[in-house]
Amino acid sequence: MPVTLDTSVFDSDILGENTPDPLRFGFRRKLSAHAGGGHHAPITVEQIQPLAQRVLQQTTPPFNKRCLYVHIPFCRVRCTYCSFFEYASSQRLIDDYFAALMAELKCKASQPWTQAAPFQAVYIGGGTPTDLTAAQIKQLGTMIRRYFPLATDCELTLEGRINRFNDEMFDSALEGGFNRFSFGVQSFDTQVRRQAKRLDDREVVLKRISELAAADQAPIVIDLLYGLPYQNIDVWRHDLDDFLDSGAHGVDLYQLIEMGNTPMGKMVEQGRLPQPADTITKASMFEIGVDYMAKHHLRRLSVNHWARDNRERSCYNSLAKTTAEVLPLGAGAGGNVGGYGFMQHRKLERYMDDVSQQHFPLAMMVKSSSHAVINTTIKAGFDRGVLVAKELDKQAGWPLFSYCLPLFERWQKNGFVTLEQHGSHRYLNLTLAGQFWSVTLAQALIQVVTTAISKPQP
């Protein structure tokens, strides 16, 4: 392996721009919501079932931390910015799906791998999990607690909408054992919400979030998007005020990523919606959000997530970005176990047919690349806002941090990071600009490291 990295071969997609304002002009634009990378070897269709069975038979320690992800692929309304819409909510279809999900849950829970160690976090995502009935939500939580070995402080998160999340549903979820709730508010502003096809106006949403938070039964966390059509700087400031006034225990601030094939994109093209905020404006919104949270003394858990108090831990979101293993349940769910990536069937018919035949409902399996753990360490570090040299070197098995120093020094010159050393401990800290561009930087570093590892050495 070369001693050091030659940065002369990289362009601004990797190095960023040398500009007086790296927050707004450091890169051309953010291209992805999450960093990816690494070469994964697909498993042939014939091998998937026996290999999945073999992986889930494993019981040999030491174990990674582990999570359970359950997917509910239904929504009553497709939000204009969403590219993940799968099925319109229909009670008959939901009931049939839920029955299959319960069968898969029992099957996966009975596997030796599942019972070999406790789960630290469970996340019910979608879709819109709160489109289940109150009884189904309670049953889902009860079944997870009954059949899975959960850590005593296991975080069970139910994601959903405020719309129709009444006291009966809240009480049923609590009775089922859910102890954290995440609601996709996106914006409190009525005009912004209506144009994004979000249900309920500002007053309704704010009142309900406030009621749930005041009940003090479990952490109530909300997502806010910045950059939506009609959401100017003043509206964004009001969104932040509404969050603080609601009493919610935590908040994620996410920038709108203009993904292809969304209703919003088509509506903008047709002149039915104004252009969403550009990168410069979204960078300003991020700066305002970070400053707001600091002024009001909220505790920062990641570059995008803040907690009002220590009840909000955001365990699943943190663990899922590390080397933790994630067991998937439900149509469209993805995960990773034993060095293999799992992706379950998105089509309900295929999913339910496999479950009825007592097969694992897998559309795809891949063997993770040999350096996947390095990529994960990079993504986790950039999500936290600091990359620790000893952690990176430990996972790589060689002094990777030192190898990448020329790149880090260029990033420091360009205003994205600061390098620190305390004794033998070295750190790469993201500046405000680096935090805004954290996914772009992580993606760039993964690309550089992957190329270095894959390159034949003399």
Side-chain angles (χ1 to χ4, degrees):
M1 185 62 63
V3 176
T4 191
L5 181 66
D6 178 12
T7 61
S8 65
V9 299
F10 300 135
D11 59 17
S12 60
D13 287 343
I14 299 293
L15 302 174
E17 303 286 351
N18 187 270
T19 167
D21 191 353
L23 171 64
R24 293 166 183 82
F25 301 102
F27 290 90
R28 285 174 291 178
R29 65 188 180 100
K30 185 175 178 180
L31 300 175
S32 172
H34 306 285
H39 303 290
H40 304 287
I43 305 302
T44 64
V45 174
E46 297 77 16
Q47 292 177 309
I48 287 177
Q49 290 298 320
L51 181 57
Q53 186 68 54
R54 192 157 65 246
V55 168
L56 291 173
Q57 291 288 321
Q58 297 173 0
T59 59
T60 305
F63 301 106
N64 291 327
K65 290 187 181 297
R66 50 178 62 189
C67 305
L68 178 67
Y69 176 77
V70 184
H71 195 66
I72 308 296
F74 301 98
C75 290
R76 273 173 289 127
V77 177
R78 181 179 185 179
C79 300
T80 59
Y81 52 81
C82 180
S83 59
F84 302 112
F85 183 80
E86 293 168 88
Y87 290 94
S89 296
S90 149
Q91 196 57 57
R92 182 194 60 79
L93 196 57
I94 290 175
D95 290 347
D96 290 345
Y97 175 75
F98 191 77
L101 181 63
M102 292 299 96
E104 187 199 3
L105 184 151
K106 291 179 181 178
C107 173
K108 289 273 181 71
S110 69
Q111 302 303 313
W113 176 89
T114 305
Q115 295 297 323
F119 287 74
Q120 283 74 39
V122 177
Y123 196 93
I124 316 300
T128 309
T130 52
D131 276 2
L132 298 175
T133 66
Q136 287 169 336
I137 289 173
K138 179 179 178 180
Q139 183 181 347
L140 177 57
T142 301
M143 293 283 281
I144 290 170
R145 286 195 171 275
R146 178 183 303 167
Y147 286 97
F148 285 83
L150 306 182
T152 55
D153 63 344
C154 183
E155 176 190 272
L156 277 80
T157 300
L158 179 69
E159 180 185 86
R161 296 179 188 261
I162 282 297
N163 182 263
R164 297 188 188 177
F165 192 76
N166 56 27
D167 287 346
E168 180 190 5
M169 296 193 75
F170 189 39
D171 291 341
S172 293
L174 293 170
E175 290 169 10
F178 289 103
N179 55 24
R180 183 177 182 269
F181 297 83
S182 177
F183 295 102
V185 171
Q186 317 312 357
S187 175
F188 287 95
D189 185 85
T190 296
Q191 182 185 29
V192 174
R193 292 181 59 80
R194 286 179 175 173
Q195 295 301 322
K197 298 296 184 191
R198 299 297 297 174
L199 300 171
D200 294 324
D201 291 348
R202 171 184 177 274
E203 292 74 20
V204 175
V205 176
L206 184 55
K207 179 175 182 290
R208 189 57 181 151
I209 292 288
S210 300
E211 291 170 346
L212 294 171
D216 216 22
Q217 294 279 1
I220 306 298
V221 183
I222 68 169
D223 292 344
L224 291 178
L225 268 177
Y226 55 93
L228 291 161
Y230 297 106
Q231 187 190 38
N232 58 29
I233 294 291
D234 287 339
V235 170
W236 177 236
R237 291 186 188 276
H238 283 301
D239 280 333
L240 296 172
D241 284 338
D242 283 343
F243 152 69
L244 198 65
D245 291 343
S246 74
H249 303 92
V251 63
D252 284 290
L253 305 184
Y254 294 125
Q255 66 168 298
L256 176 69
I257 304 297
E258 297 93 291
M259 300 179 186
N261 196 34
T262 63
M264 179 180 290
K266 295 173 184 174
M267 293 170 74
V268 170
E269 286 179 11
Q270 297 165 359
R272 295 162 57 200
L273 274 181
Q275 287 283 348
D278 58 18
T279 295
I280 297 170
T281 304
K282 287 189 288 189
S284 296
M285 289 175 154
F286 178 73
E287 183 176 30
I288 289 167
V290 172
D291 181 62
Y292 187 94
M293 298 301 159
K295 283 180 177 176
H296 293 282
H297 306 284
L298 275 81
R299 182 167 53 97
R300 199 170 189 179
L301 301 183
S302 75
V303 295
N304 297 312
H305 190 75
W306 287 262
R308 188 185 298 265
D309 56 35
N310 59 10
R311 294 185 72 189
E312 163 55 357
R313 298 178 296 154
S314 192
C315 293
Y316 178 85
N317 291 327
S318 297
L319 287 171
K321 296 181 177 76
T322 68
T323 56
E325 295 176 284
V326 179
L327 181 67
L329 290 179
N336 62 286
V337 177
Y340 291 89
F342 289 62
M343 178 53 67
Q344 308 219 139
H345 290 297
R346 290 191 176 276
K347 298 294 184 183
L348 289 186
E349 185 177 344
R350 290 291 307 276
Y351 168 78
M352 292 192 284
D353 186 54
D354 267 6
V355 171
S356 69
Q357 296 183 51
Q358 298 184 327
H359 294 161
F360 295 120
L362 292 168
M364 184 171 62
M365 260 183 91
V366 296
K367 173 65 175 173
S368 300
S369 68
S370 58
H371 48 273
V373 68
I374 301 175
N375 297 346
T376 299
T377 302
I378 292 169
K379 288 186 284 187
F382 278 73
D383 182 66
R384 287 172 50 209
V386 57
L387 188 64
V388 180
K390 287 195 173 183
E391 291 179 5
L392 184 65
D393 292 350
K394 177 183 177 182
Q395 299 298 348
W398 58 285
L400 179 55
F401 193 92
S402 294
Y403 172 78
C404 293
L405 266 179
L407 175 61
F408 297 159
E409 288 167 351
R410 285 293 297 271
W411 280 350
Q412 181 170 249
K413 181 180 178 182
N414 289 345
F416 301 117
V417 304
T418 59
L419 287 160
E420 290 183 5
Q421 181 158 356
H422 304 285
S424 63
H425 298 273
R426 294 181 295 169
Y427 303 92
L428 183 78
N429 297 312
L430 300 187
T431 63
L432 179 68
Q435 294 161 14
F436 179 71
W437 295 108
S438 61
V439 172
T440 304
L441 294 170
Q443 184 68 62
L445 183 55
I446 288 171
Q447 182 179 332
V448 167
V449 170
T450 300
T451 302
I453 293 174
S454 303
K455 188 182 299 181
Q457 301 302 321

